[in-house]
Amino acid sequence: MIPVMRPVLGDEEAEAAAEAVRSGWVAQGPRVAAFERAFAERVGAGHGVAVSSCTTALHLALHALGTGPGDEVVVPSFSFIATANAVRYCGATPVFADVDEVTGNLTAETVAPVLSSRTKAVLAVHQGGMPADIASLREACGEIPVLEDAACAAGSTLGGRPVGAGALLAAWSFHPRKLLTTGEGGMITTDDGDLAARLRRLREHGMSVSAADRHAAGTAVVEQYLETGFNYRMTDIQAAVGLVQLTRLDGIVAQRRELAARYHELLDGVPGLRAVRDPVHGTTNYQAFWVLLDNDVPVARNDLLTLLAAEGISARRGIMAAHLEPAYAGHPHPPLPVTEKLSTRSLILPLHHELTAADQERIVGLLARAVAATPVP
Ligand SMILES: *Cc1c(COP(=O)(O)O)cnc(C)c1O
């Protein structure tokens, strides 16, 4: 079996988790604080606020901006469904914008037609690690804040800097499907210290003093609950794993880019398939290596997935389109032709550290024969 993704986890992570357990401090504490500092530094942000997932990071970021009923937040439908759901958690309305066919991301051109006087924010996704062109989005959005769903984008770059550097608010995921994992987990990064302080309170019930600080104070500190918050905390066990994972990031990205380069070489000889590549404005970590089938390719995407699965190869449908899911049935949206094309005509190929050159040759060989519509032996 060739899985589509495998997390890079070793004895170092196991030992770090065990050490956190042995210390007796397993909830949010010193390791979370250390992970926040290390992660923020790596992505070039002033502050990191660790949370329980990217989904809760997105919710908290939108909530902190004051997003509520009557507000609209522009999001791509072409994303994991959590992007749009986070807007609904606030009682606001997700407004779907189409994406660029080459990057799969929102652009100034796709966003402009759906901005309105009720637009509270634009939530751009760095889809599958592909950096979105945030500078041009910001220019198109004027005063409207542009938030970043960077769930997949640890280690990607934008304009020569890490994705996250200079972001107003960026939300990250440490689910095992992404490059770095803490089992479950997320982070919000920002350069705004006041906002970071408020996000830290909001993730912990709105408490004026964190449990860890209260414990460390040595004297009796009585906390206050300043506003209605949430329990979106990360544990110190997770953060201990995250600290080790972070030391692997550069190596993981380098290896993924090598594997992607080999896929490109192999796929160059196959007509009708277009693989994702670096955009002009940055570099991708290839969290998702997706391939788009040209219109004239005679096989259906799902038939390709079935064919690969029969060979023990776990490819995936392309990125989903939220507006096509039952949860968004009846939700009004403008025409989203590119989203629908990418979502129905693309597939994600296996890419992980244990994938061999022979695996890649076999995968592309199967695809090549299938799209040429000759019988696969
Ligand atoms: C994975 C993902 C999320 C959700 O991340 P979780 O940590 O699983 O909550 C949100 N947005 C995008 C674009 C994702 O890929």
Side-chain angles (χ1 to χ4, degrees), residues 53-55 58 79-80 82-83 125 127 149 151-152 173 175 178 185:
S53 69
C54 183
T55 305
L58 290 168
S79 184
F80 184 58
T83 310
V125 179
Q127 193 51 258
D149 180 340
C152 306
S173 174
H175 183 274
K178 325 295 179 177

Side-chain angles (χ1 to χ4, degrees), residues 254-270 275 277 286 289 349 351-362 364:
Q255 196 192 3
R256 294 186 75 81
R257 289 180 58 81
E258 269 174 37
L259 288 163
R262 187 174 302 129
Y263 264 142
H264 283 140
E265 269 172 39
L266 294 167
L267 286 161
D268 269 351
V270 185
R277 285 179 186 277
Y286 289 108
F289 188 90
L349 301 186
L351 184 55
H352 56 80
H353 61 293
E354 288 169 1
L355 194 70
T356 65
D359 291 336
Q360 291 186 288
E361 280 161 26
R362 190 154 78 86
V364 176

Side-chain angles (χ1 to χ4, degrees), residues 24-336:
W25 192 284
V26 289
Q28 177 186 289
R31 291 170 191 81
V32 166
F35 183 41
E36 290 176 338
R37 284 192 297 273
F39 186 83
E41 188 179 328
R42 174 60 181 78
V43 304
H47 308 272
V49 179
V51 290
S52 53
S53 69
C54 183
T55 305
T56 55
L58 290 168
H59 179 205
L60 220 53
L62 290 167
H63 179 80
L65 277 189
T67 309
D71 290 332
E72 295 177 349
V73 177
V74 175
V75 295
S77 165
F78 187 67
S79 184
F80 184 58
I81 199 157
T83 310
N85 284 350
V87 179
R88 281 186 163 175
Y89 298 164
C90 296
T93 305
V95 173
F96 294 128
D98 212 357
V99 292
D100 173 68
E101 183 170 310
V102 175
T103 63
N105 284 326
L106 297 182
T107 65
E109 291 70 34
T110 68
V111 162
V114 297
L115 296 177
S116 83
S117 59
R118 301 206 295 178
T119 309
K120 184 74 177 178
V122 171
L123 178 51
V125 179
H126 301 291
Q127 193 51 258
M130 168 70 74
D133 186 353
I134 298 296
S136 72
L137 278 169
R138 278 194 178 170
E139 208 174 296
C141 293
E143 299 285 292
I144 300 168
V146 177
L147 277 52
E148 301 176 38
D149 180 340
C152 306
S156 296
T157 67
L158 181 53
R161 299 196 294 169
V163 164
L168 180 62
L169 278 166
W172 308 81
S173 174
F174 306 120
H175 183 274
R177 183 70 183 80
K178 325 295 179 177
L179 267 62
L180 301 181
T181 187
T182 58
E184 295 275 359
M187 185 83 74
I188 308 170
T189 55
T190 178
D191 287 336
D192 184 332
D194 293 337
L195 191 55
R198 178 150 178 252
L199 289 164
R200 285 209 173 87
R201 286 197 301 271
L202 281 168
R203 74 165 166 200
E204 196 170 17
H205 307 288
M207 266 196 285
S208 58
V209 188
S210 76
D213 288 349
R214 201 155 23 93
H215 181 80
T219 60
V221 179
V222 179
E223 79 281 10
Q224 280 188 303
Y225 297 85
L226 304 173
E227 58 183 317
T228 305
F230 306 86
N231 178 359
Y232 282 174
R233 286 176 298 220
M234 175 183 275
T235 70
D236 253 30
I237 307 173
Q238 292 169 297
V241 171
L243 279 163
V244 179
Q245 286 274 289
L246 203 48
T247 66
R248 300 190 193 273
L249 180 59
D250 291 342
I252 292 172
V253 173
Q255 196 192 3
R256 294 186 75 81
R257 289 180 58 81
E258 269 174 37
L259 288 163
R262 187 174 302 129
Y263 264 142
H264 283 140
E265 269 172 39
L266 294 167
L267 286 161
D268 269 351
V270 185
L273 297 185
R274 183 146 49 85
V276 63
R277 285 179 186 277
D278 284 336
V280 287
H281 54 264
T283 59
T284 170
N285 61 11
Y286 289 108
Q287 186 269 343
F289 188 90
W290 50 272
V291 173
L292 179 65
L293 309 180
D294 279 352
N295 291 334
D296 53 6
V297 168
V299 269
R301 190 273 316 270
N302 288 352
D303 291 344
L304 280 181
L305 292 179
T306 306
L307 181 147
L308 291 171
E311 295 285 324
I313 297 162
S314 175
R316 287 279 183 277
R317 68 170 180 173
I319 310 295
M320 63 179 295
H323 75 281
L324 298 180
E325 293 299 320
Y328 284 87
H331 186 87
H333 61 81
L336 300 165

